[in-house]
Amino acid sequence: MTDQDKILSDVTQSEYKYGFVTDIETDIIDRGLNEDVVRTIWEKKNEPAFMLEFRLDAFRKWQKMKMPEWAYLKIPPIDYQSISYYAAPVQKAKYTNLDEVDPELIDTFNKLGIPLEEQKLLAGVAVDVVMDSVSVKTTFKETLAEQGIIFCSISDALQEHPDLVRKYIGQSVPVADNYFAALNSAVFSDGSFCYIPKGVRCPMELSTYFRINAANTGQFERTLIIADDDSYVSYLEGCTAPMRDENQLHAAVVEIIALDRAEVKYSTVQNWYPGDKNGKGGIYNFVTKRGICRGVSSKISWTQVETGSAITWKYPSCVLIGNNSVGEFNSVAVTNNHQQADTGSKMIHIGKNTKSTIISKGISAGKSDNSYRGLVKIMPGATNSRNFSQCDSLLLNDTCGAHTFPYIEVGNKSSKVEHEATTSKIGEDQIFYCNQRGIDTEKAIGMIVNGYVKEVLNKLPMEFAVEAQKLLQISLEGSVG
Amino acid sequence: MLTIKNLYVSVDGQEILKGINLEVKPGEVHAIMGPNGSGKSTLANVLVGKEEYEVTEGEITYMGEDLLEKSPEDRAKEGIFLSFQYPVEIPGVPMVNFLKTAVNEHRKHRGEKELNAGEFLKLMREKMDLVDMHPTLANRSVNEGFSGGEKKKNEIFQMALLEPKLAVLDETDSGLDIDALKTVAHGVNALKTKDNATIVVTHYQRLLEYIVPDFVHVLYDGRIVKSAGKELAFELEEKGYDWIKKEN
Ligand SMILES: Nc1ncnc2c1ncn2[C@@H]1O[C@H](COP(=O)(O)OP(=O)(O)O)[C@@H](O)[C@H]1O
Ligand SMILES: [Mg+2]
């Protein structure tokens, strides 16, 4: 509660808070996309040969694909030839010390409230910062290395652990899985890589802050997390983007593989620039996130707090192959002004006695549209499997929309699927009751919304939950009515 | 403390209060009685600034200032408290969080230090005893699933926490059995000082046996048609509201 008070009082501006541009020298290749561009990216990154095959295969498949149209979204036409597919901050040397890092960059982190030094000291979080597309600074790498944990940029992983990457990349999300995943596979510039060896419990939360920076540079992040037998890791992804007028495309892919009895928790706070009050600008966020519970009794959980982006298209999913494996999806998605979100989860039950849970909390304000789309599929062989889904929508006014599209397929008789859905509206009477007790409307809404999302925020690591509350408050400012 | 002059109030274009005059001084207890629909709740809601009640004429001065200028939360923080006729449920928001926020908003307004969790819990326990509230209620969401009686006790419990200068109790007795009524009245009386004032809005005289008013006003069709001492309440009880209706 004290945290909440602090956050609520901290927050005073209603315009997007993280809208500023960092002036760092950037190496950008020409706009446009063709096989040569794909080759150039591969060359610039000095990747092993198999990656050229991977990228070209993806590119050729992408060319034959069409943008999906089934989502409840109005997506303006995107000119893929007008985008520059590679931007890397120019680096003179590798840093050994924070003092050597570009002061502009440090300043950016200070503005974001995530000074690296403090993070290191206070939170014990290893931060792999992705500025535009290339990893600039990795901390705690050595500590992790002592346990045999690999946590680095995917570019570094391709140099130093090519066999590991080769074995697992494209397993959870095949190159032609969908239009945006294919595009990402062809042109991704960087992202994070994480490998937890057998029997190791990762001693700290692994964290990556993403940030789009160079104008007109689409972001194509690629993250690959592998949890070997009996291992555990909690991974945090958070992002903020500077204010821009032109729309920016973001098509990330995150792949997780959990082997026998391994557990992976993946938490996201997503705060890309949502566009202004009139719906101008903002990030298009088309993300493919999928985890495979390959091993027996393995567990993957996705927890997300989505407040940003003009358009969100995102369905973190679990494929439960191992017997007794468990998948979880916990989500808070906020849309305000003209934002559109079509998000949810897919739970594919293949192994026996597999369990999945979906908790989705949508909050709509302004003139926004917020849709939940979920698929629960229980294969005939997945006997005695269970799913529980709960999809709640909270409306802040009469001009926004909430939609629910649950798809359920149960292939055997011993399995059970439960789906619950509610829609509610914050009542003026509730707000007035708070007012009469001395609580102003912004705070009242904050309190009601926090109550509504508590179940999901509780799943986030403490530090992150605080950040998430702050974002919720910012994104709902001035939205009552 | 409170001066209402020639107050006219409309809801949805319909005139409900038609020229109310009322003067409340520190230390006084005023009872406002009247048949259903006479405008008692309307008067209570105007005092706390509920939006849909439009003041078309007249003025309200509170502590020497124009009350109608102020936002509902400022009125609350400056000491006006309404015990709602129908307390609102707020699912998902625990009582403790709600009350701690409310208390600290009041404290901030007065330039006092905010209470931390420990200090607040101590204060809360103290005040709960006053109205005999079951401690587990504090862990539940605001009013959610509370019985009618529990909701009313909860209002007085909040009054005890916020220590208003001017408390307006809107039908706080309705839905209470005799024991709960005594407890609630005991709470209200215990909070009474020579510096604060209470306006008790009620349909029945029953509550006034326990919270003894200095003045009784009869509201009928948007006007105060009779004002007198506490004996008026007994007279009303005896003769019924028809007596008022016939006279008007
Ligand atoms: N919010 C409202 N909207 C429309 N009419 C209202 C509203 N509140 C009160 N009224 C009307 O005003 C009149 C007085 O109501 P009220 O003040 O609640 O009376 P009382 O509390 O004395 O029973 C009634 O006719 C009632 O229907
Ligand atoms: Mg009433």
Side-chain angles (χ1 to χ4, degrees):
Chain A
M1 196 52 204
T2 33
D3 284 333
Q4 186 179 322
D5 282 347
K6 192 183 161 303
I7 290 155
L8 296 179
S9 60
D10 272 358
V11 173
T12 48
Q13 325 157 231
S14 53
E15 288 295 311
Y16 184 72
K17 201 174 150 194
Y18 300 139
F20 47 83
V21 175
T22 308
D23 195 7
I24 289 180
E25 273 184 84
T26 308
D27 169 18
I28 299 181
I29 64 172
D30 285 345
R31 289 157 193 248
L33 186 53
N34 52 45
E35 287 205 3
D36 282 345
V37 168
V38 174
R39 272 198 192 84
T40 308
I41 293 170
W42 173 77
E43 264 163 27
K44 274 198 177 266
K45 297 178 65 61
N46 195 25
E47 288 174 349
F50 78 88
M51 280 309 295
L52 183 60
E53 292 307 308
F54 181 89
R55 288 177 180 279
L56 286 176
D57 179 34
F59 178 70
R60 287 168 191 149
K61 285 175 173 151
W62 177 76
Q63 278 186 306
K64 296 196 193 92
M65 296 168 91
K66 277 212 168 71
M67 231 171 94
E69 281 169 359
W70 41 261
Y72 196 89
L73 299 170
K74 287 186 213 84
I75 306 173
I78 298 169
D79 181 1
Y80 291 91
Q81 297 304 332
S82 72
I83 295 168
S84 169
Y85 287 85
Y86 184 78
V90 175
Q91 277 179 272
K92 281 150 197 123
K94 287 265 174 190
Y95 309 110
T96 52
N97 188 316
L98 263 185
D99 301 340
E100 297 167 29
V101 176
D102 193 330
E104 280 261 4
L105 184 61
I106 300 295
D107 199 41
T108 300
F109 292 128
N110 288 335
K111 281 190 214 164
L112 285 170
I114 46 156
L116 275 182
E117 285 291 24
E118 238 174 69
Q119 287 251 353
K120 286 204 282 183
L121 291 169
L122 294 176
V125 174
V127 180
D128 179 1
V129 178
V130 178
M131 178 83 173
D132 277 0
S133 314
V134 167
S135 170
V136 177
K137 178 81 193 168
T138 305
T139 50
F140 276 100
K141 213 167 150 179
E142 287 94 30
T143 321
L144 294 171
E146 277 167 25
Q147 307 233 27
I149 295 169
I150 305 168
F151 179 44
C152 60
S153 70
I154 197 146
S155 309
D156 286 352
L158 277 164
Q159 303 302 321
E160 290 158 31
H161 312 281
D163 295 341
L164 215 43
V165 178
R166 184 177 196 165
K167 184 167 171 196
Y168 291 107
I169 195 167
Q171 261 208 18
S172 299
V173 182
V175 290
D177 184 80
N178 66 70
Y179 187 80
F180 300 111
L183 180 63
N184 175 289
S185 301
V187 302
F188 76 84
S189 41
D190 215 339
S192 296
F193 177 83
C194 172
Y195 172 79
I196 315 292
K198 283 192 171 67
V200 171
R201 233 189 123 78
C202 184
M204 58 187 80
E205 317 270 0
L206 297 184
S207 162
T208 311
Y209 281 87
F210 293 93
R211 189 168 165 81
I212 291 183
N213 202 273
N216 274 333
T217 308
Q219 280 270 299
F220 303 95
E221 304 291 349
R222 185 95 191 185
T223 299
L224 177 56
I225 298 170
I226 302 143
D228 213 328
D229 297 349
D230 302 290
S231 69
Y232 167 85
V233 65
S234 167
Y235 190 95
L236 316 181
E237 174 207 325
C239 57
T240 53
M243 187 179 295
R244 276 307 158 91
D245 256 353
E246 59 269 69
N247 291 304
Q248 290 180 303
L249 177 64
H250 182 80
V253 169
V254 176
E255 297 184 279
I256 300 177
I257 289 141
L259 301 179
D260 287 350
R261 295 165 303 276
E263 180 176 352
V264 179
K265 280 190 188 167
Y266 192 102
S267 312
T268 308
V269 171
Q270 188 270 119
N271 185 30
W272 301 111
Y273 179 52
D276 68 13
K277 289 204 173 80
N278 305 312
K280 191 170 181 331
I283 303 293
Y284 295 177
N285 193 25
F286 303 107
V287 188
T288 306
K289 288 184 166 172
R290 193 171 306 139
I292 299 194
C293 284
R294 186 165 288 288
V296 296
S297 304
S298 55
K299 180 174 176 183
I300 293 176
S301 53
W302 300 100
T303 302
Q304 60 174 31
V305 175
E306 305 274 319
T307 61
S309 299
I311 298 175
T312 300
W313 181 98
K314 181 177 177 186
Y315 317 90
S317 307
C318 297
V319 182
L320 307 173
I321 295 175
N323 291 341
N324 304 305
S325 60
V326 178
E328 257 185 38
F329 173 73
N330 305 292
S331 169
V332 174
V334 179
T335 53
N336 197 355
N337 299 318
H338 291 268
Q339 281 178 278
Q340 307 177 62
D342 193 300
T343 182
S345 182
K346 285 191 274 187
M347 294 290 173
I348 315 293
H349 293 250
I350 296 170
K352 295 186 198 339
N353 309 312
T354 46
K355 280 200 198 73
S356 65
T357 312
I358 293 174
I359 310 282
S360 164
K361 304 267 181 180
I363 301 170
S364 328
K367 297 190 167 67
S368 66
D369 262 309
N370 201 329
S371 304
Y372 167 81
R373 186 179 303 277
L375 169 67
V376 175
K377 185 170 185 162
I378 298 190
M379 306 297 282
T383 48
N384 288 309
S385 292
R386 296 273 177 280
N387 164 269
F388 174 74
S389 301
Q390 187 185 322
C391 304
D392 298 329
S393 306
L394 184 67
L395 304 174
L396 267 59
N397 62 22
D398 298 321
T399 56
C400 56
H403 320 274
T404 308
F405 305 99
Y407 303 91
I408 298 168
E409 296 168 30
V410 185
N412 65 61
K413 288 206 171 83
S414 58
S415 294
K416 207 171 128 193
V417 172
E418 287 172 84
H419 179 91
E420 289 176 7
T422 65
T423 300
S424 48
K425 185 169 180 279
I426 292 189
E428 277 162 31
D429 285 352
Q430 292 174 329
I431 290 172
F432 186 75
Y433 191 76
C434 295
N435 291 159
Q436 213 302 302
R437 299 305 185 239
I439 303 167
D440 67 32
T441 301
E442 297 279 332
K443 274 207 177 81
I445 289 185
M447 216 163 57
I448 294 168
V449 165
N450 280 336
Y452 172 75
V453 301
K454 199 163 44 191
E455 203 181 341
V456 172
L457 293 197
N458 282 346
K459 305 269 182 185
L460 289 173
M462 184 56 195
E463 302 281 320
F464 230 37
V466 170
E467 171 97 341
Q469 271 192 344
K470 194 152 118 184
L471 288 183
L472 289 179
Q473 185 69 19
I474 294 174
S475 33
L476 290 172
E477 268 174 17
S479 58
V480 206
Chain B
M1 175 182 275
L2 179 78
T3 310
I4 302 177
K5 273 192 199 149
N6 194 34
L7 183 74
Y8 282 76
V9 174
S10 298
V11 183
D12 284 342
Q14 193 199 333
E15 194 160 81
I16 296 180
L17 297 184
K18 304 163 184 172
I20 301 279
N21 291 288
L22 185 68
E23 169 89 39
V24 178
K25 296 201 178 76
E28 294 178 347
V29 177
H30 290 248
I32 296 189
M33 301 183 70
N36 277 330
S38 57
K40 304 185 296 293
S41 292
T42 301
L43 179 60
N45 281 308
V46 168
L47 288 175
V48 294
K50 197 146 201 279
E51 207 174 4
E52 61 264 36
Y53 295 84
E54 193 199 346
V55 175
T56 53
E57 213 184 311
E59 57 189 63
I60 306 180
T61 316
Y62 171 71
M63 309 292 290
E65 293 179 335
D66 181 1
L67 184 70
L68 298 175
E69 288 275 282
K70 294 178 194 280
S71 69
E73 57 271 24
D74 282 345
R75 298 181 197 199
K77 287 183 282 194
E78 284 170 21
I80 302 185
F81 178 91
L82 173 63
S83 167
F84 285 80
Q85 181 170 3
Y86 305 106
V88 179
E89 302 193 358
I90 313 180
V93 178
M95 283 292 298
V96 196
N97 292 18
F98 174 76
L99 295 173
K100 180 160 169 276
T101 308
V103 165
N104 279 334
E105 287 298 306
H106 278 71
R107 294 181 68 92
K108 266 196 293 197
H109 188 76
R110 294 192 297 256
E112 294 166 10
K113 192 177 115 332
E114 290 181 46
L115 298 182
N116 64 31
E119 292 162 339
F120 176 75
L121 287 176
K122 191 162 161 279
L123 176 71
M124 195 176 81
R125 268 184 227 112
E126 212 174 276
K127 304 294 184 180
M128 277 186 126
D129 286 346
L130 192 69
V131 285
D132 197 23
M133 268 251 296
H134 202 278
T136 55
L137 287 182
N139 300 325
R140 306 235 305 254
S141 293
V142 177
N143 289 319
E144 194 184 30
F146 286 29
S147 71
E150 284 169 339
K151 282 183 182 163
K152 294 302 173 80
K153 276 189 184 178
N154 189 22
E155 294 293 290
I156 302 308
F157 163 55
Q158 295 178 46
M159 174 178 158
L161 275 172
L162 299 174
E163 300 183 322
K165 291 200 187 79
L166 175 65
V168 183
L169 313 182
D170 192 0
E171 309 271 4
T172 297
D173 51 335
S174 68
L176 293 185
D177 61 31
I178 192 70
D179 289 332
L181 182 76
K182 281 183 186 166
T183 312
V184 162
H186 166 74
V188 173
N189 290 328
L191 294 167
K192 198 82 217 67
T193 71
K194 64 178 184 8
D195 298 320
N196 62 23
T198 313
I199 297 176
V200 185
V201 172
T202 181
H203 187 77
Y204 303 104
Q205 170 268 358
R206 190 174 72 143
L207 178 65
L208 302 179
E209 284 176 26
Y210 302 96
I211 304 173
V212 182
D214 301 301
F215 302 94
V216 176
H217 311 276
V218 179
L219 189 62
Y220 179 68
D221 192 23
R223 292 184 190 89
I224 291 179
V225 295
K226 249 187 189 6
S227 289
K230 65 176 180 231
E231 66 285 353
L232 179 57
F234 296 102
E235 202 176 344
L236 265 181
E237 181 77 1
E238 225 167 80
K239 300 186 180 171
Y241 284 113
D242 282 346
W243 165 54
I244 298 290
K245 289 180 189 171
K246 265 178 222 145
E247 284 192 6
N248 285 275

